[in-house]
Amino acid sequence: MMNLSPKAMRSIAEALEFRIAAYQNQLDSEELSEDEASDLTNDSMFLESLLQDLRKALAVPVAQVF
């Protein structure tokens, strides 16, 4: 497991939010086959799960090291 700084985790969370929004836009605006829509939905749900985990990790206080 990697130890990521809070700044790195916030950057990753922002990237996940961007990707999730892009998937949602694709689902909303394009005519997709059932398989394509299913794949995008599954990918989006996976990224949402990762995002929730990152947010939980960010909510845990981190001891300052001086």
Side-chain angles (χ1 to χ4, degrees):
M1 171 137 185
M2 286 193 284
N3 290 323
L4 299 172
S5 70
K7 182 177 180 179
M9 288 192 292
R10 285 190 301 271
S11 295
I12 293 168
E14 185 177 323
L16 288 172
E17 290 168 350
F18 181 81
R19 187 70 244 162
I20 291 165
Y23 283 156
Q24 191 59 50
N25 285 338
Q26 272 185 279
L27 286 167
D28 292 343
S29 66
E30 294 182 20
E31 288 189 28
L32 302 171
S33 72
E34 192 173 313
D35 286 342
E36 290 170 324
S38 178
D39 287 345
L40 283 176
T41 301
N42 289 338
D43 291 348
S44 182
M45 290 173 64
F46 175 70
L47 295 182
E48 286 279 357
S49 177
L50 290 176
L51 182 56
Q52 286 179 348
D53 288 346
L54 271 174
R55 287 180 176 154
K56 285 179 190 173
L58 283 167
V60 174
V62 177
Q64 295 283 334
V65 178
F66 295 98

